[in-house]
Structures are given as structure tokens and as C-alpha cells.
Amino acid sequence: MHNFEKAPIFVYVINVDWYFELHWLQRALATLNSGAEVHLVMGMTDTRLTDSFSQYGLVCHQWNIDRKSLNPFFNLKGLVDLYQLLKSISPDVVHAITIKPNIYVGLICHLLKIPYLLSITGTGIIFSGKALSTRLIRPAIRLLYKASKKKDIKRRIIFENNEDRAYFINTGLCDSHEAVTILGAGVNPDIYEPAAERETDTPIILFAARLLWDKGLGDLIEAAKRLRSQGLKFSIQVAGIIDNSTVNAIDQRVLEAWSREGAIKWLGTEKNMPRLLAQANIVVLPTFYGEGVPRILIEAASCERAIVASDIPGCREIVKHGINGLLVPARDIEALAEALAQLIQNPEIRKMMGKQGREIVERDFSEQQVISETLSLYKELLP
């Protein structure tokens, strides 16, 4: 573990508390345990989470930010509030996570002369979305990223996959010397342990993700209809957070209707993912969202589950086609159905893929490896 020579002040700026808990809490605690003072600036939606963060010794600050609007210009009050917060805290390093915090922190830290990091956790709906609204705002987002490229402030841009890193460099959004790849959030392999599949004639297919249309659940429903018409037996379990603060959220009433029809079994939000993965036979993520590295796929591989995922950046980092899962073209329902059928009917292939997935996680995706690489970057930016 890296230890700081004196107690620096770090600030994490992130849009919402539950996302921080899921993906960033362990890195913040490692920073705290290395001798730093750690502040969290975020939208706080759950007092239980805020209380738990405070009990760890993290200093929490409420930051009101409109996550549903795609236009960063619409939240000027949020920009001013963040400027005043950061000026009052006077941190040594700021770490921003997700697109609006990234843009605001990039602008503010140049004014305040503070070293900073931006985490690109996938290109998201802004760069992957096809809607007119996202296409219209995209040039402005590129312009704002470029506006924060100043030579007089130390910074690092962290990507979760190499394809996103190449895209940002090639389009002039950042320079190669400041761009670093750290593969996702990582998982603790001792918590996400291998679990032998339960023998069954009706395999369980697990879809666990934020409930956004772009994550591909609608395509999975259509693929499942084709497979059931062919007489294949299986069940689909769906778990995840319904994030109504985003423009492409799936309404809970849609999920409940699918559940009543028997298309899926809707589980709601599930905290005990190792238990849920132990019950599943296959994990699927037919996403067409701008992913970083989907955490559920790392968790699945660590628990020795075969995976079906879209052949897009982020998914390709953790799923190696024919090795620990199958990759299919995004939005190709026929290919998705064929890949699922192959794994439904071949438990021995699933078992082989599961074991190879575990090896991939232990080699490249352990939580401790991610923490170590992150703390090394922090030390580079300290005065």
C-alpha cells in the first residue's frame, strides 16, 4: 500500500452517492488509509449512505447537480457551487468522475491551480447515443473537454479501456502523455469466489445492470422470445437500479409488466451479488451504451460464469470471445439468440469458460491492482 509522507487533502467529485459506493468507495478508503484527508462532493440521495461514508472518516458535501439534463450549460448554479466548495476545501488533488463533474472540475481546477484527475468511465450516452439531442450537444462537450487542456496544471485522464483512450487522443480531447488506462473498478476475488453451477434443465440467465434501455434489456427480451419459440427452456432474472435521473431509464412499470407476462423474473435492486451470481448459469449484457468496463462482467468472470456480451469497447476488455464468453454485434438480436442458445445447451462449455474467466480476473481485474495503480497516479500529482 502507498503511504503519503504528509496528510494531503483529496476531493472526489461525483454525480451521485450510490454510484460512488458501488464503484469508488474502496479506492477512497484506500486513499484515506494511506494517510490522506478525503472529501466527497456529490449528490446525496440516501442518508444511510452518507452516514456510512462519514463513519468511515470521509467528509461529505452535498452538491446539487441535474443529472437528467444532457446540457452542462443548464446547471450554472451547480458550477458556481462546486467552485466555492473546492475553493473552501483547498485540496491538493481533485478526482472527478463522470462527464459533468469532469467538465466542471477541468474548468475550475485551472482557475484554482489545483492538480486533478478525470475518470472517463465509458463514453456514455453523450458519445454513443443516436438521438438528435445527444448529437447536438456532442460538439459542445468536445469543446469543453478541449478547453480544459492547459499545460500549466498537472492532470491525468483515466480510461477504463484502451479504445476510449485512443478515441480521446485521436480527436484531440486529451494528450497521450496524460492518458492512462486502469481496467475498470476491479473486484475482490476473495468475495466474488468461484461457485459451481447448480445442475438444472432450466438454466438461469442473469441480466444485472443499471436499468437503462441502452443496456440492451429490450433486445434480450426479443431474443428470448425467439429461443422460447424453438422450445428451449431457461429463465431470465433481472436485477438492477432504476435510475430515473437519466433520460433513457426503463420505467418500473415496464419491468413489472414483463415479469407478469413471464418474460423475466424482476428481482429489484440486489446488494448480494455473489449470491445472485452463484444461482445463475449464464450472465448476459447486450449493451449498446458507451461502457467503461461493466462491473457485472468482471463479477461474473470472477465467479466462474460464462458471459454473453456485446462486441463493443469495454466488454471486449473482460470478455474474450470463445475463451470466457461469447461476443455478439450490438443490436443484433439473431446473433444474441444464437449465442445464448449455444451456452444454454452446453453446460460443459459454460464450465470451461467460467474457469478461464476467473483466471482473467485474477490476472488483470483484481480490486487491489486497481487501487495500487490509482494511488500511484495520486502520488505523481502531489506537490
Side-chain angles (χ1 to χ4, degrees), residues 213 216-224 258 286 288 330-333 336:
W213 285 107
L217 181 56
D219 289 351
L220 175 60
I221 298 296
E222 291 302 312
W258 281 336
F288 47 98
R331 307 309 316 266
D332 189 332
I333 293 171
L336 175 61

Side-chain angles (χ1 to χ4, degrees), residues 171-190:
T171 54
L173 301 181
C174 72
D175 295 329
S176 59
H177 74 273
E178 61 186 0
V180 180
T181 301
I182 297 178
L183 295 172
V187 299
N188 185 339
D190 294 333

